[in-house]
Amino acid sequence: MKVYAFQNHSLVLYKNSSFTYSSPVQKGGLYRVPVNYIRRNLPKLNEWKNSKYFSASENSLSVSMVYTTEKLDHWLLEQSVDKKLIRCVSAVFDACKEIAYKIRTASCNKIACFNDFGDEQLAIDVLADKVIFENLENSGVVSVASSEEVPREQKLKGSGFSVAFDPLDGSSIIDTNFAVGSIFGIWPGDKLVGMKGRDMAAAALVVYGPRTTISLALKDIEHVHEFTLVDDFSARHGQWVHTNEFHSIEEGKLFAPGNLRAIQDNAGYSSLIQFWLNEKYQLRYTGGMVPDVNQILVKGRGVFCNPASASAKAKLRLLYELAPTAFVVEKAGGKSSDGKQSVLDIIIQSTDQRSQVCYGSAGEVERFEEYVGLKVLSGASV
Ligand code: FDP
């Protein structure tokens, strides 16, 4: 029997056997118990196992319990988010739920992971791309969509928003079963090129790890909100529940240094790495940008960077990866920089535009600008 405790609001019980509960229940399925009921009847959560309201024996019962906040749709309604934006965000969450399931059930060889889609066996990143396009199209509120897989603006039949996404970031580590992610940027209107990150209506970072989570940032809502996919053993492959809120990124000795090969001809980056080593920072780098950045939100401290050099060029794309991630990081109280300015202030000139980047606490991003800056990129000697 497992007990997972999250914060406030309601208790969700999963049952795959019988158990006794004070109200009549059906066999099987999911039961939501209002938090007031829990407070009245189970003043101490850890006493629940011995309570008269839940009885269990080793042989007859297997119950897992999640003590959590509200479901995604209730949360969105409570925040008074624009109805069209709710439809767009819900389409993203629906797509990610399906992708999470496909990733969990994929089979992998040494090169890639595959899953069934219709009658075909498709690589998981191609599959993720299809699933997202279908969900955005069906939402009716997306007029333009563009994906890192097919980097051009494609007209959809809806109207209201334009969405850029990286369907499966970290495709080179998916066969190793490391955490991978998806990235979404949602802009109002019907174009992506010509916009800035700061113009976004919403952005999201999705982590497919031991848990599937989405860190969602909405323009008019404070902070970043984490939703966790909680399995409900149904054909819907789970439901999203609000599990965390990220509001500050403090100074702290945690670093995730990307594109390390650039230290060969970027002396500023080499010095910055030396600074972190001298200061005995904790190394936490997986090679997947989404989990590497998302950890900064969860821990509330740290730095991620992916600097460039003449021989190790910038790899990450502004539209699909950098701008949406910057939107999430800055909403969570952190900073972003390309070496000189916030990533949110860069005008997106083309779908393929790339940049070096740093995300993290204010002090770390300032240090990146000081050590790395644009020195190598502008041709200045370092
Ligand atoms: P991947 O190529 O595996 O999709 O966005 C691309 C990305 O992963 C990032 O997630 C990651 O931070 C970066 O590339 C790692 O690049 P290198 O493996 O070239 O260092």
Side-chain angles (χ1 to χ4, degrees):
M1 190 177 304
K2 288 180 188 154
V3 180
Y4 301 100
F6 291 131
Q7 306 149 345
N8 24 77
H9 286 301
S10 67
L11 177 75
V12 182
L13 294 176
Y14 301 109
K15 170 165 94 62
N16 55 17
S17 183
S18 61
F19 69 101
T20 311
Y21 176 64
S22 62
S23 315
V25 291
Q26 309 270 305
K27 278 201 166 186
L30 169 79
Y31 299 92
R32 288 180 68 82
V33 184
V35 70
N36 285 343
Y37 179 90
I38 305 298
R39 290 213 179 98
R40 265 200 320 273
N41 297 292
L42 295 174
K44 287 194 188 147
L45 191 62
N46 59 11
E47 283 176 6
W48 79 274
K49 270 200 243 176
N50 303 322
S51 132
K52 64 180 175 171
Y53 299 105
F54 304 95
S55 70
S57 82
E58 288 302 319
N59 304 333
S60 67
L61 176 62
S62 167
V63 177
S64 67
M65 182 169 91
V66 178
Y67 185 51
T68 177
T69 59
E70 26 182 0
K71 285 200 282 186
L72 171 72
D73 46 355
H74 296 161
W75 184 87
L76 285 169
L77 285 175
E78 252 177 30
Q79 311 303 311
S80 317
V81 177
D82 166 73
K83 292 254 165 24
K84 274 189 156 186
L85 184 56
I86 289 185
R87 276 167 62 188
C88 188
V89 167
S90 301
V92 166
F93 275 74
D94 285 348
C96 294
K97 186 194 285 192
E98 191 169 341
I99 294 166
Y101 176 73
K102 305 279 190 207
I103 290 174
R104 284 203 302 277
T105 54
S107 52
C108 306
N109 61 25
K110 280 187 178 150
I111 298 153
C113 296
F114 299 88
N115 207 320
D116 292 329
F117 189 75
D119 294 332
E120 292 175 278
Q121 275 266 310
L122 286 185
I124 206 80
D125 43 3
V126 176
L127 184 50
D129 197 56
K130 269 180 178 255
V131 168
I132 295 168
F133 265 114
E134 279 174 11
N135 276 274
L136 294 179
E137 178 85 277
N138 292 338
S139 75
V141 295
V142 179
S143 55
V144 167
S146 184
S147 128
E148 212 198 19
E149 288 283 313
V150 190
R152 60 189 152 78
E153 294 183 56
Q154 299 188 46
K155 275 238 144 288
L156 302 190
K157 60 179 187 235
S159 72
F161 296 97
S162 296
V163 182
F165 60 93
D166 183 352
L168 207 60
D169 188 72
S171 43
S172 67
I173 49 172
I174 191 165
D175 57 334
T176 62
N177 207 14
F178 279 19
V180 291
S182 302
I183 307 171
F184 295 87
I186 302 174
W187 278 264
D190 55 7
K191 65 172 189 171
L192 294 164
V193 173
M195 305 298 279
K196 286 191 289 200
R198 217 171 275 291
D199 304 324
M200 261 181 262
L205 297 181
V206 189
V207 180
Y208 309 101
R211 295 187 304 281
T212 300
T213 61
I214 298 190
S215 297
L216 174 70
L218 294 158
K219 186 175 195 281
D220 298 323
I221 307 292
E222 276 202 315
H223 308 149
V224 170
H225 295 266
E226 180 198 69
F227 294 83
T228 299
L229 185 58
V230 177
D231 209 340
D232 59 1
F233 304 105
S234 77
R236 298 176 305 167
H237 307 311
Q239 61 179 318
W240 294 102
V241 293
H242 185 237
T243 44
N244 219 333
E245 187 169 341
F246 306 127
H247 47 77
S248 62
I249 298 176
E250 311 292 340
E251 302 309 321
K253 296 185 171 183
L254 184 151
F255 75 133
N259 203 22
L260 260 188
R261 46 182 98 70
I263 64 172
Q264 295 299 336
D265 51 348
N266 185 330
Y269 189 26
S270 183
S271 307
L272 184 57
I273 294 285
Q274 200 52 56
F275 171 87
W276 287 328
L277 295 177
N278 292 345
E279 293 294 316
K280 296 193 168 63
Y281 273 48
Q282 188 179 34
L283 175 67
R284 285 289 180 272
Y285 181 75
T286 69
M289 191 190 73
V290 179
D292 284 335
V293 172
N294 199 68
Q295 69 173 336
I296 299 174
L297 312 182
V298 175
K299 298 285 189 193
R301 65 192 167 92
V303 59
F304 167 91
C305 68
N306 194 300
S309 76
S311 69
K313 303 265 188 272
K315 174 183 185 187
L316 306 178
R317 289 185 167 105
L318 181 60
L319 175 61
Y320 307 104
E321 296 166 297
L322 300 184
T325 303
F327 191 84
V328 174
V329 169
E330 294 205 14
K331 266 278 175 188
K335 297 255 186 211
S336 71
S337 176
D338 67 347
K340 188 167 178 242
Q341 60 182 328
S342 163
V343 172
L344 297 180
D345 290 325
I346 307 173
I347 295 174
I348 299 161
Q349 314 270 10
S350 79
T351 56
D352 194 44
Q353 187 175 345
R354 294 159 199 243
S355 172
Q356 61 173 13
V357 77
C358 180
Y359 301 113
S361 61
E364 292 297 345
V365 173
E366 275 164 30
R367 196 177 351 265
F368 177 85
E369 291 182 342
E370 183 194 327
Y371 277 70
V372 177
L374 296 177
K375 290 177 204 132
V376 168
L377 304 181
S378 60
S381 59
V382 286

